[in-house]
Amino acid sequence: MHIKELFGKKTVFSFEVFPPKKTSPVEVVYSTLDELRDLRPDFISVTFGAGGSGNSRYALDIASRIKESGITPMLHLPCINFTRAEIDAALSEAQERGIENILALRGDINPDIPPVEEFRYASDLVAYIKSKGSFDIAGACYPECHPDAESLVEDIRNLRKKVDAGADHLITQLFFDNEYFYDFREKAALAGINVPIEAGIMPVVNTNQIQRMVTTCGASLPPKFVRIMTRYGSSPEALRDAGIAYAIDQIVDLVASGVDGIHLYTMNNPYVARKISEAVSGIISV
Ligand code: FAD
């Protein structure tokens, strides 16, 4: 099933999971998948490390497992550190396993790994996958601008290249202030980007995540978010409940504003995914 066929009929609702570290068995994710499957998302995407072959085998195995459970899988595929032959191998294997949906990515540039650069930008990979004919292709986008871009205008110009190369739909980087998403969506439309855009929502439910948000992720932290994290940060249960409530609040507002889809960064936490799915199930089916 090509994911692009879902848009326009309903608010698409999808999950993202990540493979375990290569020192852990892949089975640790399978029980998570069993619980996520029961929530009947429209698709589940699986991340894929850009840094080398480490857990890439797991990503394909997890995508296959999702398919076997009756849910449509999407495989992330970063290109900056891979040769054309390696990309070909991943695509062939995906095809053999019946995985029809690819999120084509550049991947972050690691200062310790010289990029292969056979594919320099995600748009190069999108065009290459498109030339193969049979895949549904998604791309990433950044409501608050990609960190390497000089400006949001330049980033959106580059995004247009990715869509022109064949990206069928887009998924955003996480954000905590919906106004950034609305502003980005309007600018993208003005730039002639008319493919569906799913909003990436990350429920922040523990202090490690708060720390990571503050240090590594470029997302702005609105005062309401900071107040909640400050007030409940010392109580794991209160923080979890507040983080879930914040994500639900974001989703309700996005759906009311006609978002094409919600992509939930589940962080492999089925409890959180269940709480949010149950809270928004009536809203996303309207
Ligand atoms: P690109 O679209 O290539 O953009 C990268 C930069 O180059 C931007 O600044 C852009 O403006 C610029 N640019 C693009 N095209 C051109 C051009 N033609 N000329 C000049 N400049 C250009 N990473 C992983 O390693 N594995 C994952 O599984 C993964 N999953 C992700 C899922 C989502 C939903 C998102 C939002 C990100 C994900 N990432 C993942 C992170 C992503 O790989 C990084 O954000 C990376 O830095 C950029 O990837 P991209 O595909 O957006 O790159």
Side-chain angles (χ1 to χ4, degrees), residues 71-149:
I71 305 282
T72 301
M74 169 187 274
L75 181 71
H76 297 208
L77 188 58
C79 59
I80 192 71
N81 295 317
F82 294 114
T83 62
R84 187 168 296 247
E86 287 168 323
I87 293 291
D88 278 338
L91 291 173
S92 302
E93 189 151 357
Q95 205 153 24
E96 277 162 27
R97 291 169 182 241
I99 298 159
E100 301 173 279
N101 301 283
I102 304 283
L103 174 54
L105 297 152
R106 183 194 72 178
D108 283 327
I109 293 177
N110 179 338
D112 300 327
I113 306 176
V116 172
E117 288 204 351
E118 283 192 45
F119 300 96
R120 193 159 175 212
Y121 298 112
S123 52
D124 302 328
L125 180 63
V126 169
Y128 187 66
I129 300 174
K130 196 77 186 171
S131 73
K132 306 229 158 219
S134 57
F135 290 100
D136 173 285
I137 309 169
C141 61
Y142 302 83
E144 298 190 55
C145 189
H146 185 269
D148 297 354

Side-chain angles (χ1 to χ4, degrees), residues 17-218:
V17 297
F18 53 81
K21 293 199 176 86
K22 48 187 172 179
T23 46
S24 306
V26 67
E27 284 73 18
V28 300
V29 177
Y30 289 170
S31 59
T32 301
L33 286 180
D34 290 343
E35 291 189 61
L36 294 180
R37 176 201 55 204
D38 293 344
L39 305 176
R40 307 306 303 167
D42 289 304
F43 69 92
I44 302 181
S45 79
V46 190
T47 67
F48 193 114
S53 57
N55 59 7
S56 55
R57 159 77 34 196
Y58 282 175
L60 278 156
D61 287 345
I62 292 166
S64 295
R65 176 81 176 205
I66 293 165
K67 189 175 166 68
E68 282 157 23
S69 74
I71 305 282
T72 301
M74 169 187 274
L75 181 71
H76 297 208
L77 188 58
C79 59
I80 192 71
N81 295 317
F82 294 114
T83 62
R84 187 168 296 247
E86 287 168 323
I87 293 291
D88 278 338
L91 291 173
S92 302
E93 189 151 357
Q95 205 153 24
E96 277 162 27
R97 291 169 182 241
I99 298 159
E100 301 173 279
N101 301 283
I102 304 283
L103 174 54
L105 297 152
R106 183 194 72 178
D108 283 327
I109 293 177
N110 179 338
D112 300 327
I113 306 176
V116 172
E117 288 204 351
E118 283 192 45
F119 300 96
R120 193 159 175 212
Y121 298 112
S123 52
D124 302 328
L125 180 63
V126 169
Y128 187 66
I129 300 174
K130 196 77 186 171
S131 73
K132 306 229 158 219
S134 57
F135 290 100
D136 173 285
I137 309 169
C141 61
Y142 302 83
E144 298 190 55
C145 189
H146 185 269
D148 297 354
E150 268 172 26
S151 66
L152 186 58
V153 170
E154 183 200 298
D155 202 29
I156 289 178
R157 274 200 199 111
N158 292 329
L159 183 61
R160 171 75 200 259
K161 292 178 197 163
K162 185 151 58 181
V163 172
D164 288 348
D168 296 303
H169 46 103
L170 301 169
I171 303 178
T172 76
Q173 177 62 288
L174 62 93
F175 57 88
F176 300 108
D177 182 343
N178 289 358
E179 294 310 317
Y180 281 102
F181 176 80
Y182 300 136
D183 181 53
F184 164 78
R185 184 171 63 171
E186 194 174 329
K187 289 191 168 90
L190 287 170
I193 293 169
N194 52 17
V195 296
I197 305 176
E198 267 192 280
I201 297 297
M202 160 89 79
V204 174
V205 294
N206 61 53
T207 42
N208 289 348
Q209 273 178 297
I210 300 181
Q211 208 49 45
R212 270 223 335 269
M213 291 308 116
V214 173
T215 52
T216 62
C217 164

Side-chain angles (χ1 to χ4, degrees), residues 238-279:
L239 180 59
R240 183 196 63 199
D241 290 352
I244 290 171
Y246 192 92
I248 293 169
D249 191 39
Q250 273 194 284
I251 294 170
V252 172
D253 181 56
L254 286 160
V255 176
S257 305
V259 73
D260 295 308
I262 301 291
H263 187 67
L264 197 64
Y265 295 104
T266 70
M267 303 307 289
N268 294 10
N269 185 329
Y271 174 85
V272 173
R274 175 174 295 280
K275 285 286 175 197
I276 293 174
S277 301
E278 286 173 354

